[in-house]
């Protein structure tokens, strides 16, 4: 006899279905009959960015993972934007997300486990009361229970959600003399797209993309998803280095959430931004490349000598990598503390450049070897 499924969450179902119907059916009808203007599009982009960044920079990287510290003003902005996003309170959201990272891909303990399929991880887990016992006391968020802004938002989440989701669109409608149009675009369309772009990180980002840094879980790196999710698409990196305020670590990675957090630090709204040591990142990347190369060699039934050569190149790479990043850290510390004399600092710089050249040389050899099995 199969176990009884949890009861349906009818309020959640109503929100998802009604907003989808308004966005996908009523809005096109209204646009065809009454028209929409650039004003609607501009305010849609503003509202969509506000809500999504409140989730990515606030709910996710600030409160769920504590990757940086924020001023009360910025916290309040994120709390209001989070209520506007209609994704529950920051305390509730963070509790779910911490369980997800702690038990990723576990069929029972991960609230939105990708191992249970796309539908479940995308939206199905919110349609039934699968995780009722999780929210009795929020013991996995004891730190957030001491955060006054988080507690204020949690206590007044319902009125904040109503005020933002009805108040903002109606106010814009009054200003631009189109209450219905603004409610449809800023209310329904923005809400549906905000919901599902966030949900894609729980579902699609565990299915589509590359496992650049680890294969210990299903998370993937995907630049296309990053574009639609304000940088959250570099999910494989995030699951291995969850305490880093960045998801996209390279300069060409599209990560507006990272840019916002960094820009806020320049004006004193954020501080203590946490960054993973570059050595750990590069070592994880190289280890995955080695693992993939091993798999190809096994498929080719390659000779042990070829495997041994690859292992030796990997060890040489890691050694030169460690020396280079140790040298870099030592040089930066001495520059900051100004403890060395000028000529001693010059010697240190020369040594650092030598180690950099050695690392780059070893890295090129490594890449040439690995490409043969890509």
């Amino acid at each position: 006899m199969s176990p009884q499924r949890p009861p349906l969450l009818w309020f959640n179902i109503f929100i998802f279905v009604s907003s989808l119907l308004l966005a996908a059916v009523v809005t096109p009808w209204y646009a065809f009959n009454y028209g929409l203007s650039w004003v609607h599009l501009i305010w849609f982009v503003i509202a969509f960015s506000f809500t999504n960044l409140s989730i990515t920079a606030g709910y996710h990287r600030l409160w769920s993972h504590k990757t940086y510290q924020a001023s009360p003003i910025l916290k309040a902005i994120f709390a209001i934007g989070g209520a506007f996003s209609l994704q529950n309170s920051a305390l509730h959201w963070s509790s779910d997300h911490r369980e997800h990272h702690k038990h990723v891909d576990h069929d029972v303990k991960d609230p939105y486990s990708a191992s249970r399929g796309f539908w479940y991880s995308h939206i199905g887990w919110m349609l039934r009361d699968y995780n009722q016992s999780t929210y009795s006391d929020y013991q996995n968020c004891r730190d957030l229970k001491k955060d006054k802004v988080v507690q204020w938002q949690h206590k007044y989440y319902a009125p904040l959600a109503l005020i933002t989701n009805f108040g903002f669109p109606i106010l814009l409608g009054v200003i631009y003399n189109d209450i219905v149009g603004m409610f449809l675009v800023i209310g329904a369309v923005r809400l549906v797209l905000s919901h599902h772009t966030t949900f894609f990180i729980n579902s699609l980002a565990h299915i589509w993309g590359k496992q650049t840094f680890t294969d210990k879980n299903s998370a993937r790196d995907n630049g296309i998803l990053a574009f639609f999710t304000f940088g959250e698409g570099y999910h494989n990196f995030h699951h291995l280095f969850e305490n880093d305020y960045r998801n996209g670590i390279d300069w060409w990675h599209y990560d507006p959430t990272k840019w916002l957090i960094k820009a806020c630090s320049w004006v004193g709204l954020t501080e203590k931004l946490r960054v993973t040591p570059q050595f750990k990142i590069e070592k994880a990347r190289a280890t995955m490349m080695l693992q993939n190369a091993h798999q190809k060699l096994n498929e080719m039934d390659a000779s042990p000598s070829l495997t041994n050569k690859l292992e030796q190149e990997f060890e040489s790479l890691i050694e030169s990598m460690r020396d280079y990043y140790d040298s870099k850290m030592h040089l930066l510390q001495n520059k900051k503390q100004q403890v060395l004399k000028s000529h001693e600092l010059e010697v240190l710089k020369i040594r650092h450049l030598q180690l950099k050249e050695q690392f780059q040389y070893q890295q090129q050899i490594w890449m040439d070897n690995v490409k043969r099995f890509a």
Side-chain angles (χ1 to χ4, degrees):
M1 184 176 178
S2 60
Q4 186 177 359
R5 290 198 292 177
L8 290 166
L9 296 172
W10 287 109
F11 181 73
N12 288 3
I13 293 170
F14 170 76
I15 293 294
F16 292 139
V17 172
S18 60
S19 60
L20 181 61
L21 288 174
L22 286 171
V25 178
V26 181
T27 303
W29 171 85
Y30 184 88
F32 180 79
N33 286 279
Y34 299 97
L36 296 172
S37 68
W38 283 102
V39 170
H40 295 85
L41 178 60
I42 291 169
W43 278 106
F44 164 78
V45 172
I46 293 171
F48 180 72
S49 300
F50 174 44
T51 51
N52 278 45
L53 285 168
S54 294
I55 295 296
T56 59
Y59 277 32
H60 188 207
R61 303 192 198 184
L62 173 63
W63 286 313
S64 293
H65 292 294
K66 301 167 68 175
T67 65
Y68 66 100
Q69 294 181 9
S71 70
I73 293 173
L74 190 60
K75 286 182 178 181
I77 293 171
F78 288 154
I80 293 168
F84 193 17
S85 302
L86 215 58
Q87 293 188 33
N88 222 309
S89 70
L91 180 64
H92 192 99
W93 199 101
S94 298
S95 177
D96 275 335
H97 195 69
R98 289 181 180 184
E99 288 301 299
H100 168 63
H101 272 264
K102 185 177 180 181
H103 305 290
V104 61
D105 296 328
H106 190 285
D107 279 358
V108 177
K109 295 181 180 180
D110 182 350
Y112 31 87
S113 176
S115 64
R116 297 183 66 171
F118 175 86
W119 173 256
Y120 180 86
S121 60
H122 188 75
I123 197 172
W125 70 281
M126 292 177 283
L127 303 182
R128 291 184 179 275
D129 198 2
Y130 290 100
N131 305 299
Q132 183 179 8
S133 61
T134 307
Y135 314 118
S136 57
D137 53 12
Y138 298 103
Q139 280 302 303
N140 63 346
C141 293
R142 287 192 292 268
D143 56 314
L144 299 186
K145 292 168 77 173
K146 299 175 185 177
D147 190 310
K148 293 181 179 179
V149 174
V150 171
Q151 289 304 301
W152 166 77
Q153 193 231 29
H154 185 69
K155 183 177 181 180
Y156 298 107
Y157 174 76
L160 284 170
L162 287 170
I163 291 169
T164 53
N165 280 276
F166 286 95
F168 287 160
I170 291 172
L171 177 61
L172 288 169
V174 171
I175 293 172
Y176 294 102
N177 196 30
D178 184 10
I179 292 176
V180 175
M182 282 296 182
F183 181 77
L184 289 172
V185 175
I186 308 304
V189 175
R190 184 272 317 165
L191 182 62
V192 169
L193 291 178
S194 180
H195 273 170
H196 289 282
T197 50
T198 300
F199 302 165
F200 276 146
I201 298 304
N202 301 336
S203 56
L204 210 53
H206 283 263
I207 299 171
W208 180 30
K210 297 179 179 179
Q211 291 181 298
T212 315
F213 300 96
T214 180
D215 63 352
K216 302 301 181 185
N217 58 71
S218 60
R220 262 64 173 176
D221 285 338
N222 189 309
I224 296 174
L225 278 180
F227 178 78
F228 292 104
T229 59
F230 292 80
E232 299 288 284
Y234 301 105
H235 208 51
N236 187 258
F237 173 85
H238 171 65
H239 262 275
L240 186 59
F241 304 112
E242 62 184 72
N243 298 124
D244 198 313
Y245 86 96
R246 311 160 302 167
N247 275 15
I249 54 170
D250 292 315
W251 67 266
W252 64 85
H253 285 161
Y254 185 82
D255 190 356
T257 304
K258 169 187 69 177
W259 302 334
L260 173 66
I261 296 168
K262 186 64 176 179
C264 286
S265 71
W266 299 336
V267 293
L269 292 175
T270 63
E271 62 179 4
K272 297 182 180 178
L273 281 58
R274 299 171 70 180
V275 176
T276 306
Q278 194 65 26
F279 171 70
K280 286 187 176 182
I281 295 172
E282 294 302 329
K283 184 179 179 181
R285 195 197 307 266
T287 301
M288 272 303 298
M289 293 171 72
L290 175 66
Q291 188 170 313
N292 291 334
H294 268 309
Q295 185 176 345
K296 293 291 184 181
L297 286 170
N298 289 335
E299 291 172 1
M300 295 164 54
D301 196 22
S303 66
S305 61
L306 194 56
T307 303
N308 291 337
K309 184 178 185 300
L310 193 66
E311 289 278 1
Q312 290 170 4
E313 293 295 349
F314 175 77
E315 293 298 331
S316 298
L317 173 71
I318 297 302
E319 184 179 352
S320 62
M321 184 188 296
R322 182 182 288 107
D323 290 342
Y324 167 67
Y325 285 115
D326 284 348
S327 170
K328 186 175 183 179
M329 183 177 65
H330 186 51
L331 181 62
L332 290 173
Q333 287 175 344
N334 280 287
K335 279 183 176 179
K336 186 176 181 180
Q337 296 172 1
Q338 296 181 334
V339 295
L340 294 180
K341 295 178 182 179
S342 59
H343 71 278
E344 292 174 327
L345 193 60
E346 284 302 317
V347 171
L348 197 62
K349 286 180 181 178
I350 292 170
R351 176 58 179 159
H352 174 68
L353 288 174
Q354 291 173 340
L355 290 171
K356 182 179 181 180
E357 290 176 0
Q358 174 61 30
F359 171 50
Q360 290 174 338
Y361 171 73
Q362 198 65 50
Q363 194 174 40
Q364 186 58 53
I365 293 175
W366 168 250
M367 292 300 296
D368 289 342
N369 275 279
V370 170
K371 282 178 182 177
R372 294 167 58 191
F373 315 109

